[in-house]
Amino acid sequence: MFASQAFFARLAATAARALLFIYAITIAAQALPLKVFAMDWQISMITVITNSSILPLQGLVLAHLAAYLDPAEPRYEVFCQNLRRWALPATLGFLLFIPLQSYNLVKGIRNYRQNAAKNERTITQTFGDIRNAVERASTTADLQKRLADLNAPGLSPADRTAPLPAIRPTLLAEIQKAEKKAKANIAQQDPEQFWLFSKQMVGSILAAFAFAFAFAAAAKRSAWPESLLVRFIRYLDWLRKFKSTALGQKVDNFKAKEKAQKDLALTQRSLQDHARKEAQLKKQADNEARLREKHIKAMREKAVRDEQNRNKFDKK
């Protein structure tokens, strides 16, 4: 073991602890005050965690580097084992961030639409009240009082001295122009805020997935022979094979069932044909029997008539 390797091992371990400490301080500072069920708090916390999680990941790498450079020092190996155990809940936490941020994204989009509709209604109502005040006022002083009651901008000094019928069309035109401008400003600002929010949420979701993958590669319990990621990949491979086998069995069963149904249909068709032929033969035999009976009956009747005719002839 070279002295330089031991030095760099201590440096890497110290840097790893420093990075973990900075990460913990950053998260703790952002978490206070706790508002666990507030959407804004959840979004800000998850954003800070995902943006800062490169620090513990680097610390994890540096800790393993220290153990690699100085394998004779047991402290570094114990440090790595502790970090690998802590990587397991970190992986689960990042996986939980994905559905949570997805829910917050959907909720934020719904809130954006509701706020946009609410702002538009507020602008329409506000300018509608001002327009009604201008239309219903009888004098300039009355209009000034109505505008003050609505907390709207008052008349200019020149308009206060002018007769109301003369300035009313101009005021209505200015109100309409101001209303269109206010709605245009909101329509211009809202999409920018919406896209910024959407990009932030999608970025945090993708970052959470990436960090879950990274920490899963390091997550390992002492009883496990391999990391969580390797175990998960093995499980996916087993699941794929199981599905393929189960699917193959289902296909074979389906083919066998289909063949059995076809054979049964052929057998039923053959039985029906045989029964139909037997019925035809029976009908033919019955017809022949009836014809023979008719023929025999006719011969008997003829014999009786002949006998009667002979008797009559003998009597004569």
Side-chain angles (χ1 to χ4, degrees):
M1 172 64 65
F2 295 103
S4 59
Q5 287 183 324
F7 170 76
F8 283 114
R10 289 194 299 271
L11 179 61
T14 304
R17 292 187 177 92
L19 290 174
L20 294 174
F21 179 75
I22 294 172
Y23 179 73
I25 293 298
T26 303
I27 300 303
Q30 181 65 31
L32 298 176
L34 292 176
K35 297 179 182 179
V36 181
F37 298 103
M39 176 181 171
D40 295 338
W41 186 88
Q42 293 176 0
I43 293 175
S44 62
M45 276 299 302
I46 294 175
T47 302
V48 170
I49 290 174
T50 53
N51 291 341
S52 305
S53 290
I54 192 65
L55 298 177
L57 192 60
Q58 291 173 344
L60 187 62
V61 174
L62 290 175
H64 283 79
L65 178 61
Y68 174 78
L69 292 176
D70 192 359
E73 180 59 55
R75 293 180 303 168
Y76 300 151
E77 182 60 29
V78 173
F79 185 37
C80 291
Q81 291 178 359
N82 293 332
L83 291 180
R84 285 195 291 266
R85 281 195 293 267
W86 278 105
L88 180 59
T91 302
L92 298 178
F94 282 112
L95 291 177
L96 289 176
F97 286 167
I98 296 174
L100 181 59
Q101 285 294 79
S102 300
Y103 170 77
N104 288 332
L105 175 60
V106 174
K107 186 177 180 181
I109 293 174
R110 184 170 61 249
N111 292 340
Y112 160 77
R113 292 177 178 175
Q114 292 176 353
N115 291 334
K118 182 179 179 181
N119 291 335
E120 187 173 356
R121 288 195 302 268
T122 301
I123 292 174
T124 302
Q125 182 178 359
T126 300
F127 282 94
D129 294 339
I130 297 174
R131 188 180 295 105
N132 292 333
V134 174
E135 292 175 349
R136 296 177 182 177
S138 57
T139 61
T140 305
D142 184 23
L143 176 58
Q144 183 67 19
K145 182 178 180 302
R146 289 174 181 266
L147 293 176
D149 294 338
L150 295 174
N151 294 324
L155 298 174
S156 63
D159 291 337
R160 292 177 185 176
T161 59
L164 183 58
I167 63 174
R168 180 177 284 138
T170 304
L171 293 176
L172 292 175
E174 291 179 354
I175 291 171
Q176 185 176 4
K177 183 178 179 181
E179 182 179 2
K180 290 182 179 180
K181 184 177 180 180
K183 290 182 178 180
N185 290 335
I186 291 180
Q188 184 178 2
Q189 294 175 0
D190 286 347
E192 295 180 358
Q193 297 176 358
F194 170 76
W195 287 115
L196 288 175
F197 172 77
S198 299
K199 287 192 294 185
Q200 177 186 356
M201 298 298 291
V202 173
S204 64
I205 292 172
L206 296 178
F209 179 79
F211 280 117
F213 184 84
F215 280 99
K220 180 178 177 297
R221 300 182 65 179
S222 57
W224 292 355
E226 53 200 10
S227 67
L228 177 63
L229 181 61
V230 176
R231 292 172 65 89
F232 181 70
I233 292 175
R234 290 182 182 274
Y235 172 75
L236 289 181
D237 185 61
W238 173 84
L239 186 63
R240 180 183 59 81
K241 292 180 180 179
F242 174 77
K243 285 186 176 180
S244 61
T245 304
L247 182 61
Q249 291 178 354
K250 288 182 179 179
V251 171
D252 294 339
N253 293 335
F254 176 76
K255 289 182 178 179
K257 184 178 179 180
E258 189 177 18
K259 185 176 182 300
Q261 290 178 350
K262 289 182 179 179
D263 294 340
L264 180 61
L266 291 174
T267 303
Q268 290 178 349
R269 193 177 299 112
S270 299
L271 292 175
Q272 290 175 356
D273 293 340
H274 182 70
R276 187 164 48 253
K277 289 180 180 179
E278 286 186 349
Q280 291 176 354
L281 292 174
K282 184 178 180 182
K283 184 177 180 180
Q284 185 178 359
D286 292 341
N287 292 333
E288 291 177 354
R290 283 195 297 270
L291 290 175
R292 285 195 299 269
E293 289 178 357
K294 288 182 179 180
H295 182 68
I296 293 171
K297 184 178 180 181
M299 291 180 65
R300 288 177 179 176
E301 290 177 353
K302 183 179 180 182
V304 171
R305 287 196 299 270
D306 293 341
E307 184 66 25
Q308 290 177 353
N309 292 331
R310 282 196 299 271
N311 292 334
K312 289 180 180 180
F313 181 77
D314 292 339
K315 288 179 180 180
K316 291 180 179 181

